[in-house]
Amino acid sequence: MHSPVTRHSPPGGARRPFRLLIVEDEKRLALSLAKGLMAEGYVVDVVHDGREGLRRATEDGYDLIVLDIMLPGMNGYRVCGALRAAGHEVPVLMLTAKDGEYDEAEGLDTGADDYLTKPFSYVVLVARVKALLRRHGRSAQPVLRVGDLSVDQGARRVERDGTEVTLTAKEFAVLEQLALRAGDVVSKAEILEHVWDFAYEGDVNIIEVYVSALRRKLGAGHIVTVRGAGYRLVAGE
């Protein structure tokens, strides 16, 4: 039985976000990576078994797979080899606790596109993911459009009716999370989880401060409060 991470749906009219599959049996690491990558705007699924990872990778249209080598059921070498043998060209970033030229050569020989040894920097992981996606012909981040709003994730730029709106880094991050799920209700806890540090223990109502600032800059009609549930980004009036 697989265990998918909550999947975000792209807003209407926007180019779909990248879909990533993480195949990693260290559950805490897998969840941490998934949270971080979702905060970057990716749609992420997680499985913890090699055979299930192979099944999901062959049946679903992922843009990239983060694949551990040491997995139950079927190791990462075999998963990657089976994907390539079946003609699947999805980029594969292999993770392993091992090091040494032999292991890296074996991983690349099975068709992996890149190789990262644990422990690794999360910043390095994200950079490798973005580089692989660029190499395989997709732009680094989509531009999200909701009504007269345009949210350019790559350039960190927001426009309303073609006019740039200056936002702070946190304001942009809050708006980005709402735009990624435009039309859906996003709770304060979900925004906090993706925008603030995972270890943040402050008041969840800090979100209200940033939503108020966004309403002043973008127009009050774009962000709707759903009492007791969260906020919804809409096209506005």
Side-chain angles (χ1 to χ4, degrees):
M1 181 177 180
H2 60 82
S3 53
V5 172
T6 301
R7 177 171 295 173
H8 292 176
S9 299
R15 188 177 183 181
R16 70 172 178 83
F18 298 115
R19 297 186 61 227
L20 275 54
L21 175 66
I22 297 175
V23 189
E24 167 62 68
D25 65 328
E26 293 182 41
K27 294 185 178 181
R28 291 183 65 182
L29 173 60
L31 181 60
S32 176
L33 291 178
K35 286 181 176 180
L37 289 168
M38 285 195 294
E40 296 286 334
Y42 301 115
V43 173
V44 184
D45 289 341
V46 173
V47 296
H48 306 295
D49 175 270
R51 287 195 177 91
E52 176 65 12
L54 178 60
R55 184 190 72 79
R56 293 294 296 272
T58 55
E59 293 180 0
D60 294 331
Y62 291 103
D63 297 297
L64 183 140
I65 298 172
V66 179
L67 178 65
D68 189 33
I69 289 179
M70 303 301 291
L71 292 166
M74 177 184 287
N75 70 37
Y77 294 138
R78 292 178 60 198
V79 172
C80 189
L83 281 171
R84 297 303 185 237
H88 294 280
E89 298 181 356
V90 57
V92 174
L93 173 60
M94 297 195 88
L95 307 179
T96 180
K98 297 181 178 181
D99 56 18
E101 294 179 358
Y102 174 77
D103 296 320
E104 181 168 359
E106 184 175 358
L108 296 175
D109 283 347
T110 60
D113 296 271
D114 203 352
Y115 184 100
L116 201 54
T117 302
K118 302 173 185 176
F120 51 81
S121 161
Y122 174 72
V123 173
V124 171
L125 173 78
V126 171
R128 298 282 185 91
V129 165
K130 290 181 177 179
L132 285 175
L133 290 169
R134 283 195 301 270
R135 191 186 309 168
H136 284 75
R138 291 197 60 194
S139 58
Q141 292 287 352
V143 176
L144 308 174
R145 302 187 189 280
V146 185
D148 61 358
L149 294 180
S150 171
V151 181
D152 187 330
Q153 293 179 274
R156 315 296 285 178
R157 176 187 176 97
V158 175
E159 293 183 355
R160 182 184 180 192
D161 273 336
T163 301
E164 184 172 3
V165 180
T166 302
L167 301 181
T168 67
K170 275 287 194 292
E171 288 168 354
F172 180 90
V174 171
L175 177 63
E176 183 180 35
Q177 288 306 310
L178 293 172
L180 283 164
R181 297 175 59 185
D184 294 338
V185 177
V186 185
S187 71
K188 291 180 182 178
E190 288 173 309
I191 297 173
L192 199 67
E193 180 179 88
H194 293 304
V195 175
W196 274 258
D197 186 271
F198 298 148
Y200 177 79
E201 296 180 351
D203 189 349
V204 70
N205 290 322
I206 187 68
I207 305 300
E208 295 178 4
V209 176
Y210 287 90
V211 168
S212 294
L214 287 171
R215 283 173 170 154
R216 286 197 301 272
K217 294 182 177 183
L218 302 175
H222 282 290
I223 303 177
V224 176
T225 298
V226 181
R227 193 171 300 278
Y231 302 99
R232 179 190 292 123
L233 186 67
V234 297
E237 299 177 356

